[in-house]
Structures are given as C-alpha cells and as structure tokens.
C-alpha cells in the first residue's frame, strides 16, 4: 500500500536511500518511512511559507523560524543546579563489590530471590565471607576477584545501581537486595570520596545550554506532532501523541 502525504506518493527509491540510516532501529522500515513522512510534511510547510533553497535548506530554515525557545534565566539555571548537585560534583568515587543473581527466562524468580535473601542474611552476619560468596554465587565475571567492581564514578553503572552505591554507607553491606535490569544484587561498599561541588558560576553556561537543548527537543517534537496532525497522510499509521515522532 503506497504512503501518500498531502497528495505526494513516497517512492521506493526514497525508501532505499533512507533505510540505511535506520538499521539500528527496532523496526527499520517503519522508522525510515516515518522519517520520510516527516520530511515531506516539513517540506510542504516550507513551500507553503515560500522559503527558498534546496529541500534540506528549506526544512532547516522552517525549523529555525518555527521552533524557537527562550534561553533559561539565571534563576532557572540556579534552581536546576541546586536540585541536581550530583551532576556538578567532580572527583566523586566509590569502591564497590557485588554478587549478581542473574534473572533469566528459565529461572524461577521467587526461588532465586529466596536464595539471594539467604545469602544476603548470611553476609550481614558474616561480612568477611563476601569474596568467597561472590566467587560461589555471582553470575558476573567480577566473581573471579571476589565481586570487586573497583572504583566507580557516576555514569559508570545503570541508574538504579548508581543511586544505591552513591547513597549507601561506606564499608557496609547494603541490607537489602538491589534490583536492576541485570538481576538481583548484593552490594558491599568500600571507600567513598565525596567529591567537590563545582561553583555555580563555573557551570551556569553549560546548564543553560543543556536546558535550552532539552526545551528545543521538546518543542520540536510538539511542532512535528502538530504538522503531522494537520497533514493528509494515508498508507501509514504514525505513533500516538505521547510517543516521540523523531528519534
């Protein structure tokens, strides 16, 4: 079934040219076709407004004209800085070890959790056994070195893991199982370095740039959704309003 945008039928040659750019997508064909639809919708709008130049130049000029966001104020940047001090802290380190109980489709999660809880309780009573228990139980290559992950900084691990290791008490075992996308973890913390919070004046411009980029991305998605909603499109069902139309 052909895909038609405002009376213009997208061609196979256009798809062949676009498709290689989307090979990493879950559905490369759908992603490529969505991109072509969006490009056509924007090009039609640019032509409607009388913008000149090559197609890509017209689309760029359209977005510069239509998607405008103000630069955040110093007060907004300061609020962001105060709300997320960990993002502006340098030299923060934590030494951590873990025992991973990997969750797979073949395992009974309830039994795995019960086993992990038994191991955790034993280690809370006998923390000196951590390395041996990691070697015997962990499904992570770090089991060969007693579960040690070495020194970690923010961004080194998945968010749910990071949140715990940077808030837990040093030289202690976290008294609960920590669940991540990889499975269940028992965590032991070693030495922690608090780090230094950079002065607001030193990071204000970076905060402003990041906030403006985020605002622009949000405004761009809204604009694309608006343009798609106003266009006449057949042959494809684009995602709903709550799903980004651009990747």
């Amino acid at each position: 079934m052909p895909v038609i945008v405002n009376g213009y039928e997208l061609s196979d040659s256009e798809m062949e040219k676009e498709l290689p750019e989307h090979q990493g997508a879950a559905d490369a064909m759908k992603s490529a076709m969505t991109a072509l639809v969006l490009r056509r919708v924007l090009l039609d709008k640019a032509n409607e407004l009388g913008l000149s130049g090559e197609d890509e130049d017209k689309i760029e000029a359209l977005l510069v004209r239509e998607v405008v966001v103000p630069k955040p104020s110093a007060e907004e940047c300061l609020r962001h800085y105060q709300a997320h001090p960990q993002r502006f802290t340098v030299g923060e380190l934590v030494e951590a070890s873990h025992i991973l109980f990997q969750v797979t489709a073949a395992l009974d999660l309830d039994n795995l959790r019960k086993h992990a809880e038994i191991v955790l309780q034993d280690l809370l009573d006998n923390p000196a056994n951590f390395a041996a228990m990691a070697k015997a139980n962990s499904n992570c290559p770090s089991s060969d070195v007693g579960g040690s992950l070495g020194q970690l900084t923010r961004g080194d691990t998945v968010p749910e893991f990071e949140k715990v290791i940077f808030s837990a008490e040093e030289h202690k075992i976290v008294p609960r199982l920590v669940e991540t996308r990889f499975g269940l973890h028992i965590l032991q913390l070693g030495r922690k370095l608090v780090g230094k919070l950079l002065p607001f004046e030193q990071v204000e411009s970076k905060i402003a740039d990041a906030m403006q980029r985020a605002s622009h991305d949000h405004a761009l998605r809204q604009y694309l959704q608006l343009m798609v909603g106003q266009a006449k499109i057949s042959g494809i069902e684009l995602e709903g309003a709550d799903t980004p139309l651009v990747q």
Side-chain angles (χ1 to χ4, degrees):
M1 182 177 181
V3 176
I4 301 174
V5 181
N6 295 330
Y8 177 90
E9 182 176 336
L10 297 175
S11 66
D12 291 341
S13 61
E14 288 174 296
M15 173 59 83
E16 290 174 3
K17 183 178 179 180
E18 182 69 26
L19 191 57
E21 303 297 323
H22 301 263
Q23 292 307 309
D27 186 339
M29 290 287 291
K30 180 67 175 289
S31 179
M33 185 57 75
T34 299
L36 289 175
V37 170
L38 291 175
R39 182 177 183 275
R40 190 71 227 174
V41 166
L42 294 176
L43 187 58
D44 287 347
K45 185 64 175 180
N47 290 331
E48 178 187 325
L49 295 175
L51 300 179
S52 60
E54 298 294 328
D55 287 352
E56 298 304 325
D57 295 333
K58 288 192 282 189
I59 291 173
E60 182 177 354
L62 171 70
L63 295 178
V64 168
R65 168 177 166 164
E66 298 293 306
V67 185
V68 180
V69 294
K71 188 172 182 178
S73 67
E75 291 76 15
E76 290 172 319
C77 292
L78 180 58
R79 285 197 296 271
H80 182 83
Y81 172 82
Q82 293 172 334
H84 306 284
Q86 72 277 4
R87 297 181 184 176
F88 313 106
T89 299
V90 295
E92 191 177 17
L93 290 172
V94 60
E95 294 173 344
S97 299
H98 80 146
I99 299 173
L100 170 64
F101 300 89
Q102 188 176 19
V103 175
T104 65
L107 286 175
D108 185 312
L109 182 57
D110 288 338
N111 286 338
L112 182 68
R113 189 180 298 276
K114 288 176 183 177
H115 174 62
E117 291 282 5
I118 291 171
V119 175
L120 173 60
Q121 189 56 56
D122 182 60
L123 287 172
L124 291 173
D125 295 335
N126 304 281
N129 293 339
F130 194 94
M133 295 295 277
K135 190 171 183 63
N137 291 275
S138 184
N139 299 123
C140 177
S142 64
S143 63
D144 292 338
V145 287
S148 175
L149 297 172
Q151 293 183 335
L152 301 172
T153 61
R154 291 191 182 272
D156 286 344
T157 68
V158 293
E160 56 270 34
F161 195 94
E162 176 182 291
K163 182 179 180 180
V164 176
I165 62 174
F166 280 97
S167 61
E169 187 177 354
E170 66 178 348
H171 304 300
K172 297 286 187 180
I173 294 175
V174 177
R176 63 178 178 84
L177 295 177
V178 176
E179 189 167 348
T180 73
R181 65 198 71 175
F182 300 109
L184 306 173
H185 306 255
I186 296 175
L187 298 180
Q188 182 182 56
L189 277 295
R191 186 171 59 107
K192 298 180 74 173
L193 296 180
V194 176
K196 176 185 176 183
L197 180 64
L198 295 173
F200 172 66
E201 294 73 20
Q202 188 173 336
V203 296
E204 180 180 0
S205 63
K206 292 182 179 179
I207 293 173
D209 290 343
M211 291 180 68
Q212 189 167 28
R213 283 196 301 272
S215 295
H216 182 272
D217 289 346
H218 179 69
L220 175 59
R221 290 169 187 266
Q222 288 187 320
Y223 181 71
L224 291 175
Q225 290 167 347
L226 175 64
M227 291 297 96
V228 167
Q230 293 177 349
K232 294 181 179 179
I233 302 170
S234 62
I236 185 175
E237 289 188 15
L238 297 180
E239 304 296 342
D242 293 332
T243 301
L245 291 172
V246 288
Q247 305 302 318

